[in-house]
Amino acid sequence: MNEQQVASFWETHPCGDQQVGGLKDDYLDFFNRYDRFRYQKEGHILGCLDAIDWQDRDVLEIGLGQGADSEQIIKRGGNWSGLDLTNEAVERTATRMALRGLEYGAVKQGSILDAPYDDNSFDIIFSHGVLHHVPEIETAERELHRLIRPDGELIIMMYAKWSLNYLLAIGVLRRLGLIGMRALGMRGDGIYAEHYDNSKEMGLANYLKMDNFIHRSTDGAGNPYSKVYDRAEVEKDFPHFEVTKTYKRFMYAPPLPVTNWPGGSVMGWHLWAQMKPK
């Protein structure tokens, strides 16, 4: 697994695009629909952003998606710049900023494995749901440490290992469902058909190993890489940082109808971590 495979997937599958019907010609309408969908489903994000002091801080966001959180950071006073591996995310985010009339530093296409910035450039580095898709996390972590100022803060969201989604929905229910589909010869359609085809290509037993199945069970059956975290795993993968705070949000475990049910702070899918450089 390498960064190029990750880039190829996200270039053709912009984060959240198909959840709101995809981008057609009207960018403004798309951004409005996307933001409405995102913050109705994951409203905790706004609360988490509100709890951070962005005012007049030099901020780098790693991984931009549709630029929704980027806009929120700017509106909260951050001197925002953004970096994304894909040209599609960079163009969409730049378009959003222009349509909203927002001032910002720069939005660049590039890799967090070799980021195009000077040492000690940022007060805050923020990354929501991105670094768990980086296979070469050791290299990325060293770059993050190089970029952040000595009194700065790294704020990330990673998928949570100790979550209902990982332990039950992915670990048990979806795997049992695929076994049943294969036993009955029911290919289905959409993402179910993708999993069915993947299991035939890789072999069912091999595909269902969690080391393989986790990659295909977080962001679509074509997603090449994902990793789940707890605090200990964050500390292991970010040795040049001191973890000062972790907390979970967002109860989510499809196919179970539990989205935004109580208990997100205990079994939620989103693990937030705040860190200081050592």
Side-chain angles (χ1 to χ4, degrees):
M1 195 58 57
N2 58 57
E3 185 182 64
Q4 186 54 52
Q5 291 170 285
V6 173
S8 296
F9 174 77
W10 290 107
E11 189 74 66
T12 55
H13 299 79
C15 185
D17 181 83
Q18 292 304 312
Q19 292 175 308
V20 293
L23 174 62
K24 306 296 191 297
D25 297 323
D26 190 335
Y27 277 82
L28 188 58
D29 175 69
F30 172 78
F31 292 139
N32 289 337
R33 286 187 289 112
Y34 177 79
D35 291 2
R36 195 161 49 245
F37 170 83
R38 179 175 178 80
Y39 297 126
Q40 284 178 354
K41 181 179 181 182
E42 302 177 41
H44 65 279
I45 295 174
L46 297 178
C48 292
L49 295 179
D50 284 339
I52 298 163
D53 180 13
W54 306 98
Q55 190 66 44
D56 298 325
R57 311 288 294 281
D58 293 329
V59 179
L60 176 64
E61 183 178 3
I62 306 297
L64 307 177
Q66 308 297 335
D69 295 345
S70 316
E71 177 178 337
Q72 296 299 322
I73 291 170
I74 293 171
K75 288 180 174 179
R76 286 161 172 76
N79 301 322
W80 177 92
S81 294
L83 179 70
D84 198 282
L85 195 55
T86 70
N87 181 65
E88 187 67 25
V90 166
E91 289 191 351
R92 291 190 185 198
T93 301
T95 300
R96 172 191 284 267
M97 300 308 178
L99 289 172
R100 302 289 201 220
L102 297 172
E103 294 184 4
Y104 61 98
V107 56
K108 297 181 180 182
Q109 182 179 2
S111 169
I112 190 52
L113 304 182
D114 185 19
Y117 305 100
D118 294 334
D119 295 357
N120 303 319
S121 291
F122 300 100
D123 299 307
I124 297 176
I125 299 178
F126 173 75
S127 187
H128 186 277
V130 175
L131 295 176
H132 50 221
H133 295 305
V134 178
E136 305 94 335
I137 191 63
E138 296 87 357
T139 303
E141 191 265 353
R142 288 193 295 270
E143 273 293 90
L144 292 166
H145 190 265
R146 180 183 70 80
L147 297 175
I148 202 161
R149 291 173 181 149
D151 59 348
E153 187 172 29
L154 173 62
I155 303 169
I156 62 174
M157 186 284 283
M158 310 290 250
Y159 291 144
K161 179 184 295 185
W162 300 106
S163 62
L164 192 68
N165 194 33
Y166 180 70
L167 296 174
L168 181 58
I170 295 173
V172 179
L173 299 180
R174 297 187 209 174
R175 292 200 290 175
L176 287 176
L178 183 56
I179 291 171
M181 289 171 62
R182 284 292 305 275
L184 297 171
M186 296 174 56
R187 181 173 180 269
D189 53 21
I191 193 171
Y192 301 104
E194 293 181 59
H195 281 300
Y196 188 96
D197 293 344
N198 286 346
S199 71
K200 294 197 73 173
E201 180 181 344
M202 294 180 62
L204 181 61
N206 187 42
Y207 187 63
L208 290 178
K209 292 177 180 177
M210 283 303 285
D211 285 346
N212 292 324
F213 196 62
I214 184 58
H215 305 314
R216 310 307 179 96
S217 299
T218 62
D219 294 84
N223 176 48
Y225 184 82
S226 288
K227 183 175 179 178
V228 292
Y229 281 82
D230 57 13
R231 182 174 179 133
E233 195 69 24
V234 172
E235 292 174 339
K236 175 176 175 290
D237 278 358
F238 293 82
H240 295 96
F241 291 84
E242 177 188 357
V243 179
T244 59
K245 183 178 182 180
T246 59
Y247 54 97
K248 284 187 280 189
R249 297 290 184 269
F250 190 42
M251 183 64 80
Y252 177 77
L256 298 175
V258 299
T259 301
N260 284 320
W261 278 24
S265 62
V266 178
M267 294 296 286
W269 180 225
H270 289 182
L271 175 67
W272 287 64
Q274 296 178 211
M275 295 175 257
K276 295 285 188 179
K278 293 180 180 177

